[in-house]
Amino acid sequence: LKPFGPGIDVLHRDLGSSLSPAAMASKGGEASTALQVLEKHIAGEVSEANALPQLQHFYRKDPRLVLAALSEKANSVVANADAGSAATQTAALLVNVARFLDERAAEAQAEGKAPAPQKGGAAKSLSRSLMDHVLLLTGGKNRAAKETSVRAQGCSLVASLVAASPDHPTARDKLVEFSADRVPSIRETACRGLGFVMNSPAVEQAIVARTGDPFTVVRTSAVRSARVTAGSVPALLKRVDDIEACVRAQVYHTLAGQPEAIKEFGPAALARLMVGLADRSGSVRSAAGLAVDAWHKHLGGSALQLLMRCDVLSDEALGDAAAGAIAARFPAEGAAIARRLLSGTKSAHDEPGVDGLHGALLMRHAVGIMSEEDRDDIVDVPLLLQRSNEALGAAQNRPNGAFILRQLLHIVVSLDFCDEASRRRAERLGEAVLMRAPLESLPHVGSVGGARGAGGALYTCADLGVLVLRKCAGLGRGIHPRTAKFQALEAQCSTRAVLLVSDLCQPLQGGGDPAEAEDEDENGEGHFATRLSFRLQELNDAIEEHKQQRASLAEQKKKAIANEEFIQAQKVKEAAKKNDAELAKLTKEQAALRAERDTILLRVLAILTALLKWSNSDLQKDPAQFGTLDQILRPIVSLPALSDEVEVATITAICLFCSRDGESARGHWCLLLELLRSLRQDDDPSQPASKRRHSRARAAVAARTLVDCALVHGNRGALDREEIISAAHALAAVPFPSRHIVIEPLCSWFLGLGHVFFEEHLREPVLEVQWALGWMLVEAFKQHGFEDDDDADEAAGAKQPHAPQPPPAARPRGTSWVSRPPPDPSQGKQVGGADEEGDFDEDEDSSKAMVLASRLMQFFNLLPRLPGKHSSPMLSLAVESIAESGLWRRAVLLPQVVGGKARWLRGFSWPRLFRFAHERLSPEMRFRLWRCSLQLCVADPELAPFAEVPFALAEVVKEAPPGAADLLREAVALGADVAALHPLLARIPPEQREAPPPQGSGHLVARAEAQAAERERRASLAEQGIDASVWAPAEVQAPDIMPPHHRMKIAKAGAAPKKRGTENGPIVPPSAWAALADHP
């Protein structure tokens, strides 16, 4: 105990002379007897039933005797902490004894039987006194033992004893200190103990920091100990999306224990928490149910009141999922609300909530989960149709009226009409919805963060109107056999919808004079919306001319004032006023004409899109629907002065035609490819933001359509192999800022048509598609650093606003990793421990980026398991693409200054990526991974260690493939780091060390040849429109200093590495990287 200082002697003096050996001897053996009883109890010689009453007797006689015995055993436990389970069990027995005696003393004091404490006696709480002693054993404030086992044992004792004294300030500070320990088990124990400590800013800050710990058990313990406050709410909300189900479940268990904290959550955050009832894990669903039940009881047992606290408008998909979860959890209350709204005289607008939104939403989901018998008993069809017509009339003038209308239409679609009168009324309702319902712009179902991510599909009023018409025509949702009967019904429904479209187009057809209309038709200006579009084009030209004239007049006025020609300046000023008045008039007319044209065009396109989306008709046998392509869509897309919104909606409708019909897909294939390739010019940082957004929106629609057409029509022969591969070429060659819009289409293409790529790659390397596999794998392993305590809170998380903070300086989305400013050598010095290592994310830390990374991880987990011989080689080709194209340089650790702190940052972790692929490939494929990794060590021996390439090999050296030893020897002979690679030879299993490689010898090339091959590969990619230098630099200068976590590993291995060699190799000089390879 000498390392702990003189604190033990101080504690002995404070406890009294009875703790000294002389005093214990003078007691006539009483103290030694108490110690013997405790030792026998610990050894198992005396049962708990006999030992505890004896210790209680000694405690009543003199509490200092028991405290002395417990302190002596605590000394032994901490001093022999490396004994393992024996020390842990002894510590637990000491804590149980102290807790038992405290409980019995408290009972005796409550009954008035406890004697008054003697002068100078022990404290009232034995656990508190024992904890004071243990705190001295742990080293006190800001001091700790070097041995991990001693620190762990001390932390465990303090965390177990602090429950008896939650207000102990020294224990609180010590646990906060332990929560930042480098050992995960100590951090977990400290977080468990902090759960018993009285809350304070320091405790809350420590727990919040550990909720983002890289180890699952630490995050779980931190979440369990967290108090739900305004400061901890953002951290808890982040853990709702944790990758581990146990952490997500613990969040809900914590919330269930503190139901009164529901007031700390904002509407958006509460809606997100409700979706836990539909989590993919059963344990999370069960825990979420407990939390929701607790909130339901806290709010007076009202499901509607619970839903009213959720935001259902900002993110409709999230609100829809939350309402569905609540309706499924409380079906009786949902049925009562539905009965009140659908069977009585009360409408949805009169229901409590935000203008009746929550009541209507809960009603719709309650009806949806009912059985047919209950639904027929509750829903009054004539009354429902009447309410729907009323909602349609109020939708244009009432805020959020379209939302309520959609909920009622959902119920109408789910019903069966048994009489002709109700069917006709429903049919008229569907037509009225298509003609008069408000136009809405809902997120794409498949977009990142859209409806699919929340688990629901969002339908517009046009979608629901078409579904009502199909329901009335005898066509429900789902796939029907393409018999003559169903085809006739489909054609009839399509004709009805197209007739509505023709009625909408009448106001755009031209004026009332037949002769004038005939002249316009002959000139090609009277078809559809051409007349208004040409007028808009004229207005646009006139407005542009007036803007240029305004700039010219401003320059003339400035020049006249400079020359002191004030009369001329006054004339120019009057001309400028006249020009501005004319410009305002033209702008007003332009806005009115655009609104008139675009409103009708958007409604027409919404109807056609919904018709194509829900129809199962054979387009070649449906003249009404198929004719809209030539008669409506193509004329619209060729109109002058077309607005961005109308253009994207038109392209979406054309793309739906391509997905449905193979001939249409082949006819528009070049258009789709061009829309995607146009990103190379349009998605440039120098372009206006509006143009870039528009270009990305068009390209996103084209990317999804290319993949859908390749999957649907490729197997039917409508598209040949060259066209299928061309889709992958276009998707793979997107510029760096736009890569996120093609990730999901590329995943779908590889999963469905990966065999086509592999077959073509065997004939001739398809570098563009292999390049796409490489950068997708890099995106999957792009690390998001764990949040600091001063990170900005989530806007949806905390209800109470926080003090405004200046936003962090962030680069615009899509900025390349290469464009970072070079590190300043004067600021690149590292001081600190291994926790300063971080992974650099070149995009802003957004939820969309994390969702994309999660989906890419799912894709690459699934890829090697696909049936066929192409699955595993595709994962190997992805890793080889990273190594051969230079993308691996994004894994290089570089010193940077972030937030005023010096940190080592990288784009992704090469060891994690390499281990991921190594575990999922066969030994033959693993040989290719070793070959490309060792080729990196040959091509750039100075930079490869900073990407931790030798470290990655050292992690999997026990599973090295046959021929790995020959590769290591060959790499060393070609100039790789001898000290870093030679020790790996001794760690390769003996049975694999002399095994021959699968394909002879000479697998690696010299440094000059490897660098020339990379330059040639980058030139080939540039010919295909891929600028690899934007994705990763061609050259990176190796830092002059070593990362701190590398230095710590080397120090752990030994401060002075010895010279080492092998049986068949020469003695090599010492190297820092050799210690790193020997101790991964």
Side-chain angles (χ1 to χ4, degrees):
L1 298 176
K2 291 182 179 179
F4 298 104
I8 300 297
D9 298 333
V10 176
L11 178 65
H12 287 180
R13 291 196 300 269
D14 292 342
L15 294 177
S17 61
S18 62
L19 290 181
S20 64
M24 292 180 67
S26 66
K27 283 287 185 178
E30 292 181 354
S32 61
T33 303
L35 184 59
Q36 291 175 2
V37 171
L38 185 60
E39 289 178 345
K40 291 182 179 181
H41 175 48
I42 292 173
E45 299 177 5
V46 179
S47 65
E48 186 179 45
N50 294 327
L52 292 181
Q54 296 181 45
L55 293 173
Q56 183 180 4
H57 170 73
F58 287 113
Y59 185 69
R60 289 176 177 175
K61 191 172 183 180
D62 190 349
R64 293 173 297 179
L65 299 176
V66 179
L67 179 58
L70 292 176
S71 300
E72 285 294 328
K73 297 309 295 181
N75 294 345
S76 301
V77 167
V78 175
N80 300 279
D82 55 355
S85 60
T88 303
Q89 294 174 3
T90 302
L93 286 174
L94 295 179
V95 173
N96 290 337
V97 169
R99 189 175 301 168
F100 172 81
L101 296 178
D102 284 338
E103 291 175 356
R104 293 298 179 268
E107 293 176 1
Q109 186 177 4
E111 296 174 1
K113 299 179 180 180
Q118 299 179 6
K119 185 177 180 180
K124 294 182 180 180
S125 173
L126 182 60
S127 298
R128 189 183 185 95
S129 300
L130 180 59
M131 185 167 58
D132 290 334
H133 181 71
V134 172
L135 286 171
L136 290 178
L137 295 179
T138 58
K141 188 176 182 181
N142 297 328
R143 295 182 62 190
K146 183 178 180 180
E147 292 79 6
T148 301
S149 58
V150 175
R151 295 199 314 276
Q153 191 63 70
C155 180
S156 177
L157 283 170
V158 175
S160 301
L161 293 169
V162 76
S165 302
D167 58 342
H168 199 295
T170 308
R172 177 197 62 203
D173 296 340
K174 195 62 183 178
L175 288 174
V176 170
E177 180 183 336
F178 276 131
S179 68
D181 197 276
R182 66 174 182 268
V183 180
S185 60
I186 298 179
R187 298 200 299 269
E188 186 274 332
T189 305
C191 290
R192 180 158 33 90
L194 287 174
F196 299 104
V197 178
M198 294 182 62
N199 198 21
S200 66
V203 172
E204 180 176 310
Q205 185 177 7
I207 293 178
V208 167
R210 295 280 68 82
T211 57
D213 197 272
F215 290 88
T216 302
V217 65
V218 182
R219 296 200 304 274
T220 305
S221 182
V223 170
R224 183 190 301 115
S225 302
R227 281 85 164 180
V228 184
T229 62
S232 64
V233 160
L236 292 175
L237 286 176
K238 291 179 181 179
R239 299 280 67 82
V240 173
D241 297 322
D242 197 280
I243 192 173
E244 297 293 340
C246 60
V247 180
R248 301 198 303 272
Q250 188 57 54
V251 172
Y252 288 103
H253 283 301
T254 301
L255 298 178
Q258 307 174 51
E260 68 282 353
I262 189 176
K263 63 180 181 296
E264 302 292 346
F265 292 98
L270 197 58
R272 179 65 189 88
L273 290 172
M274 293 297 174
V275 185
L277 292 170
D279 193 273
R280 60 182 179 274
S281 173
S283 61
V284 180
R285 294 195 298 270
S286 176
L290 296 177
V292 172
D293 290 343
W295 291 333
H296 180 261
K297 182 179 180 181
H298 179 73
L299 295 175
S302 173
L304 182 58
Q305 290 295 326
L306 186 58
L307 182 61
M308 287 172 60
R309 286 179 171 265
C310 301
D311 183 7
V312 298
L313 291 178
S314 299
D315 188 343
E316 288 198 24
L318 186 64
D320 192 82
I326 293 176
R329 189 73 182 177
F330 309 105
E333 296 183 47
I337 293 176
R339 186 183 298 275
R340 185 167 65 252
L341 294 179
L342 298 177
S343 301
T345 58
K346 200 171 187 179
S347 67
H349 290 286
D350 301 327
E351 187 66 18
V354 183
D355 201 20
L357 303 180
H358 301 86
L361 186 60
L362 186 61
M363 169 194 67
R364 167 211 155 184
H365 283 283
V367 172
I369 63 176
M370 289 180 184
S371 62
E372 293 187 5
E373 293 78 6
D374 294 339
R375 190 183 300 119
D376 294 340
D377 180 56
I378 289 179
V379 178
D380 184 351
V381 176
L383 181 60
L384 174 63
L385 296 176
Q386 178 185 346
R387 295 277 169 80
S388 300
N389 281 288
E390 294 173 355
L392 176 61
Q396 296 288 353
N397 304 321
R398 198 180 185 99
N400 303 318
F403 184 90
I404 296 178
L405 173 62
R406 280 191 277 115
Q407 312 312 314
L408 294 173
L409 291 176
H410 271 287
I411 301 176
V412 173
V413 171
S414 65
L415 298 178
D416 293 325
F417 304 108
C418 302
D419 59 286
E420 183 64 19
S422 297
R423 190 195 66 80
R424 289 182 178 179
R425 290 185 61 185
E427 191 175 34
R428 290 195 295 269
L429 172 64
E431 294 177 356
V433 167
L434 294 177
M435 299 292 286
R436 295 189 286 118
L439 296 173
E440 300 167 293
S441 178
L442 298 179
H444 177 65
V445 175
S447 61
V448 178
R452 184 181 296 175
L458 294 179
Y459 298 157
T460 63
C461 289
D463 291 327
L464 294 169
V466 169
L467 288 174
V468 171
L469 288 181
R470 291 178 57 82
K471 189 79 173 181
C472 296
L475 299 168
R477 283 182 288 183
I479 303 299
H480 299 286
R482 288 188 175 181
T483 60
K485 176 183 177 181
F486 277 101
Q487 181 60 40
L489 293 176
E490 291 281 2
Q492 181 182 357
C493 183
S494 300
T495 303
R496 191 66 177 267
V498 172
L499 287 176
L500 294 176
V501 170
S502 64
D503 293 341
L504 286 171
C505 296
Q506 288 300 325
L508 302 179
Q509 291 287 347
D513 190 357
E516 182 180 353
E518 184 177 354
D519 293 339
E520 290 179 351
D521 290 337
E522 292 178 357
N523 296 329
E525 299 182 0
H527 189 270
F528 206 29
T530 310
R531 179 179 58 84
L532 292 180
S533 298
F534 273 107
R535 177 55 184 161
L536 274 174
Q537 184 64 47
E538 295 174 0
L539 290 175
N540 292 341
D541 295 341
I543 290 174
E544 184 64 27
E545 182 180 350
H546 279 73
K547 288 181 178 180
Q548 294 177 0
Q549 186 176 0
R550 180 173 59 183
S552 176
L553 291 174
E555 185 65 25
Q556 294 178 20
K557 179 181 176 182
K558 183 178 180 181
K559 185 177 180 180
I561 294 176
N563 296 333
E564 298 184 356
E565 298 177 356
F566 299 109
I567 297 178
Q568 180 66 22
Q570 181 64 26
K571 292 180 180 179
V572 173
K573 180 180 179 180
E574 293 176 357
K577 288 184 177 179
K578 181 179 179 181
N579 180 75
D580 290 343
E582 294 177 356
L583 180 60
K585 182 179 179 181
L586 291 174
T587 303
K588 184 177 180 180
E589 183 180 358
Q590 178 199 41
L593 283 178
R594 180 179 288 121
E596 179 186 358
R597 185 197 64 174
D598 289 359
T599 300
I600 298 180
L601 288 182
L602 288 174
R603 186 176 297 278
V604 168
L605 294 170
I607 295 174
L608 294 180
T609 301
L611 183 62
L612 289 166
K613 186 189 303 182
W614 298 108
S615 174
N616 294 322
S617 175
D618 185 352
L619 294 182
Q620 298 293 340
K621 300 179 181 179
D622 193 340
Q625 189 173 177
F626 190 73
T628 57
L629 178 61
D630 293 328
Q631 299 175 11
I632 298 178
L633 296 180
R634 285 177 178 169
I636 290 179
V637 81
S638 62
L639 289 175
L642 201 62
S643 61
D644 293 347
E645 187 177 3
V646 174
E647 183 180 0
V648 173
T650 308
I651 292 175
T652 302
I654 294 176
C655 288
L656 283 174
F657 260 103
C658 297
S659 301
R660 295 283 307 278
D661 183 60
E663 293 298 327
S664 300
R666 182 183 286 270
H668 294 85
W669 198 254
C670 294
L671 171 64
L672 299 176
L673 294 177
E674 184 59 31
L675 289 175
L676 200 54
R677 291 167 180 165
S678 63
L679 284 174
R680 302 174 189 175
Q681 291 79 28
D682 297 340
D683 199 0
D684 188 88
S686 60
Q687 298 290 340
S690 58
K691 184 177 181 179
R692 296 177 64 190
R693 284 194 298 268
H694 176 57
S695 179
R696 289 184 182 181
R698 296 185 311 175
V701 176
R704 291 192 297 266
T705 306
L706 284 171
V707 176
D708 291 343
C709 293
L711 292 172
V712 174
H713 306 308
N715 296 329
R716 300 177 182 176
L719 297 175
D720 55 26
R721 181 177 289 258
E722 183 179 353
E723 289 171 328
I724 294 174
I725 288 291
S726 66
H729 287 180
L731 293 170
V734 294
F736 182 87
S738 306
R739 65 197 183 282
H740 59 280
I741 69 175
V742 299
I743 286 180
E744 287 197 5
L746 274 173
C747 291
S748 301
W749 193 94
F750 280 119
L751 291 176
L753 300 168
H755 62 283
V756 178
F757 156 69
F758 188 66
E759 293 168 2
E760 293 293 326
H761 190 77
L762 291 179
R763 298 188 184 98
E764 183 179 357
V766 187
L767 297 182
E768 313 94 285
V769 184
Q770 186 184 1
W771 160 265
L773 278 173
W775 67 255
M776 288 169 64
L777 187 58
V778 169
E779 290 291 320
F781 282 89
K782 202 169 52 176
Q783 300 294 311
H784 297 269
F786 293 98
E787 300 82 11
D788 294 331
D789 299 332
D790 55 354
D791 283 349
D793 295 329
E794 293 184 356
K799 179 180 179 181
Q800 301 176 0
H802 296 265
Q805 299 179 357
R811 294 174 295 106
R813 179 176 178 85
T815 305
S816 171
W817 178 83
V818 187
S819 64
R820 293 183 301 180
D824 186 357
S826 63
Q827 298 179 352
K829 299 293 183 181
Q830 280 294 320
V831 179
D835 58 343
E836 294 183 10
E837 174 197 0
D839 291 322
F840 183 74
D841 182 11
E842 58 267 33
D843 293 331
E844 70 241 10
D845 187 13
S846 63
S847 59
K848 290 185 179 181
M850 298 187 71
V851 169
L852 283 177
S854 175
R855 292 181 182 177
L856 281 172
M857 285 298 297
Q858 296 175 3
F859 165 73
F860 282 106
N861 270 306
L862 179 62
L863 187 60
R865 305 176 186 177
L866 294 177
K869 298 181 179 180
H870 67 283
S871 54
S872 295
M874 287 175 62
L875 181 56
S876 176
L877 288 173
V879 180
E880 294 174 31
S881 174
I882 297 172
E884 295 171 0
S885 63
L887 281 174
W888 68 275
R889 294 188 182 89
R890 293 180 61 182
V892 174
L893 283 163
L894 295 175
Q896 298 285 331
V897 177
V898 179
K901 301 178 182 179
R903 305 189 68 181
W904 286 79
L905 305 177
R906 60 187 173 189
F908 69 97
S909 172
W910 176 268
R912 287 191 60 202
L913 185 150
F914 188 85
R915 183 171 62 251
F916 173 86
H918 201 272
E919 292 173 351
R920 288 158 177 79
L921 295 180
S922 62
E924 294 77 9
M925 293 291 104
R926 290 176 182 176
F927 180 81
R928 298 175 65 94
L929 298 184
W930 278 68
R931 183 179 62 187
C932 67
S933 297
L934 290 172
Q935 187 64 68
L936 295 181
C937 297
V938 173
D940 204 335
E942 295 182 355
L943 198 61
F946 286 94
E948 298 184 335
V949 177
F951 178 42
L953 295 174
E955 283 188 331
V956 298
V957 69
K958 298 297 184 182
E959 302 173 358
D966 287 350
L967 283 176
L968 286 170
R969 298 188 188 99
E970 188 177 355
V972 170
L974 291 174
D977 189 351
V978 181
L981 298 182
H982 237 297
L984 296 178
L985 280 172
R987 300 181 58 194
I988 294 179
E991 62 275 8
Q992 302 288 348
R993 196 174 303 167
E994 301 301 331
Q999 300 174 358
S1001 60
H1003 299 90
L1004 303 178
V1005 298
R1007 183 182 308 175
E1009 296 181 25
Q1011 294 174 352
E1014 181 182 331
R1015 289 193 296 268
E1016 182 180 354
R1017 190 182 187 95
R1018 283 175 169 255
S1020 300
L1021 292 174
E1023 294 176 358
Q1024 303 297 329
I1026 300 172
D1027 188 1
S1029 61
V1030 178
W1031 296 75
E1035 293 182 2
V1036 173
Q1037 185 178 1
D1040 297 330
I1041 55 178
M1042 188 182 299
H1045 65 289
H1046 289 183
R1047 295 200 302 266
M1048 291 183 64
K1049 291 177 182 292
I1050 295 169
K1052 185 177 180 181
K1058 298 180 180 180
K1059 295 182 180 181
R1060 52 186 84 202
T1062 61
E1063 298 177 358
N1064 301 325
I1067 298 177
V1068 297
S1071 170
W1073 302 110
L1076 181 61
D1078 273 354
H1079 297 270

